[in-house]
Amino acid sequence: MPSLEFKGKSLVYAHHLTVPHRPLVVDPVRSVGEAGANGNLIIHGDNLEALKALLPRYAGRVKCIYIDPPYNTGNEGWTYNDNVNSPLLQEWFKENSPVDGEDLERHDKWLCMMWPRLHLLRELLSEDGVIFVSIDDNEQHHLRMLMDEIFGEENFLSSIMWHKSYSPQMDAAGFSVSHDYIMSYRRSGLAIVNREPFEQNIEQFRFTEAATGRPYRRRSLRKEGSNSLRVDAPRSWFPLTGPDGTQVFPYKPLRAGESERIEGVWRWSHETYSKRLDNGEVEWVLTDNDGWQPYAKQYVNEGADRPPGTVWTYDEVGHTHDAAEEVAQLLGPRAFQTPKPVALLKRLIGIATRADDDPIVLDSFAGSGTTAHAVLALNREDGGSRKFILVECEDYADSVTAERVRRVIAGVPEAKDEALRDGLGGSFAYCTLGDALTIEGLLTGDGMPSFAALAAWLLHTAAGVTAATSALSPLDDDGLFYDDGVSRFHLLYEPDIDFLRGEDAVLTETRARRIGEDGRRNGRKAVVFAAAKYLGQRELSEYGVTFSQLPYELHRRG
């Protein structure tokens, strides 16, 4: 395995610390519909910085994550450079980009790129959330080890194999590779993988129940396949009483050339058999070779479902050519090189989310915007209210990623799909990343954040609380902005350097007493963020107030 322990972890931890928080800035011109930052989002910017920007509002709230990172094939020439501030990291990236097939450390660099992003994605994922990662053989084994460490081996769900192409690569040296993998993990044991509907083959149900007219098929009560011998499950070897009073044991049918019968087992316990028999779900059949034999009656189930499998064919979820045609239909030929089909994303999202629980779906390697297309298509089909968050760092974030979603929302007259012709509806806010929230900015007055942005970040870093930025504003003259049922949070701040240097930004004794009394009346503690205070923490504690100074509290965990 590449030297992740030495190069990856040390660099990545430093990397993570040197990436400052940058608030989201909504661009109403590029947005569609109401440009609110709490609905669907398309973010143009580096995904590491964007994921950190999402934490204050979305930590622990994302139900489904899908990412399609660089496969690191050696032919992509991708550049590992996150525009970080650390001189050490800047020099390392400068010397080690771009990443191509001649780069002997390309696996190390890929792991260094993925490590902090997967950690942030895990923080954003809800306790019952699921993450899917597309990958191929170049990094599949490394990704599995990486995700085992970050998400835990016990939270591995499956490695789905997607049959992505319908024709062989005739010029391949060796094997013609026609599949990709989709690695799936859950955040915790609370995650539920939805079962999928399937159509039963009606022709198999060739018998009709006389009393009810219901079609059914027969299935032998002798267990088949593995662990189907008496030595495997001796308690499942017992006699059943046939219609003529004879005892019938679960012997295997004699095959040609066999002289001794093999002892098998029943698929049900005797208790289950008795219940099913009383319910009319057992049928005894007189056979030519084995006499009376019991069969289970299986009825047609129009609402049948089953767990999703791990091998997905292009007949089920589309192939790469389908995906290219979908994008070409929306944006013109060769608008994007390696999209995924909408059907593939719809199936993944459908496995991880339900229509009625307002789930959030995140894609931080958004590419052509297939994930948003799939979310809108699913919502149109089942009336769901799923929301999407896309992040794309490349310059085509507006011209390809967002433009595809705009056209999907508005409608594409020449589309084959009727729903797409009419438009799938919806809206999104197009965002960029604002100025970095830094100590220098607070001290000099350059690039100062809004009250809501600073409040959200402080709330997350100091208390681990996630809150919608739109809901954070000063509720009284003492800067009260949030109450979590235990503490009331106050911020004495305006994005103005003169305000921060003035008396209004200081926690005075009069204000501390007033805040403390207000907290006691409501059965709460009080936390106050301010630029300065006029009394010590001992006195503040008597009032039930905890003081956190700006900008140092921001610096502590930023």
Side-chain angles (χ1 to χ4, degrees), residues 176-320:
S176 172
V177 179
S178 59
H179 70 278
D180 277 353
Y181 302 98
I182 302 172
M183 203 74 67
S184 61
Y185 281 73
R186 61 188 181 183
R187 173 69 187 266
S188 75
L190 296 177
I192 297 175
V193 175
N194 298 327
R195 296 172 67 88
E196 297 181 315
F198 75 101
E199 295 183 6
Q200 295 176 296
N201 185 355
I202 301 299
E203 293 181 358
Q204 295 179 356
F205 298 81
R206 54 193 181 88
F207 303 101
T208 302
E209 193 171 61
T212 64
R214 296 172 65 189
Y216 70 93
R217 64 184 177 187
R218 294 170 178 163
R219 187 180 186 188
S220 174
L221 281 189
R222 289 191 309 272
K223 188 175 181 181
E224 301 160 354
S226 59
N227 300 320
S228 62
L229 300 179
R230 181 179 180 181
V231 294
D232 299 320
R235 292 184 180 180
S236 296
W237 166 270
F238 51 82
L240 298 177
T241 303
D244 61 354
T246 59
Q247 289 190 324
V248 179
F249 288 87
Y251 284 106
K252 297 283 187 179
L254 279 173
R255 297 180 181 177
E258 293 180 342
S259 57
E260 295 186 9
R261 305 190 71 184
I262 300 174
E263 296 175 341
V265 293
W266 300 119
R267 64 175 65 253
W268 293 341
S269 67
H270 203 292
E271 181 182 9
T272 299
Y273 167 79
S274 299
K275 290 180 180 179
R276 297 290 184 89
L277 182 66
D278 291 342
N279 291 335
E281 298 175 35
V282 176
E283 185 171 29
W284 283 88
V285 177
L286 183 61
T287 66
D288 294 334
N289 298 325
D290 298 302
W292 287 101
Q293 292 295 316
Y295 288 84
K297 294 167 68 175
Q298 295 183 330
Y299 301 96
V300 172
N301 183 358
E302 295 181 356
D305 60 21
R306 60 185 174 188
T310 57
V311 178
W312 296 3
T313 67
Y314 55 75
D315 291 330
E316 299 172 298
V317 295
H319 44 66
T320 52

Side-chain angles (χ1 to χ4, degrees), residues 90 125 222 235 256 327 348 418 421 481 534 541:
Q90 287 179 342
L125 198 62
R222 289 191 309 272
R235 292 184 180 180
V327 174
L348 290 171
E418 182 179 351
R421 284 199 301 270
F481 68 90
Y534 282 166
S541 296

Side-chain angles (χ1 to χ4, degrees), residues 5 55 103 145 195 246 263 389 391 479 558:
E5 182 66 34
L55 281 176
D103 190 335
M145 289 187 283
R195 296 172 67 88
T246 59
E263 296 175 341
I389 300 175
V391 182

Side-chain angles (χ1 to χ4, degrees), residues 430-483:
Y430 185 94
C431 302
T432 54
L433 297 173
D435 294 332
L437 204 163
T438 64
I439 300 169
E440 292 78 9
L442 286 173
L443 292 175
T444 63
D446 296 328
M448 301 184 74
S450 67
F451 182 97
L454 181 57
W457 182 243
L458 291 172
L459 195 62
H460 176 70
T461 56
V465 175
T466 301
T469 302
S470 62
L472 301 180
S473 60
L475 303 175
D476 61 19
D477 292 338
D478 292 322
L480 173 66
F481 68 90
Y482 194 78
D483 185 332

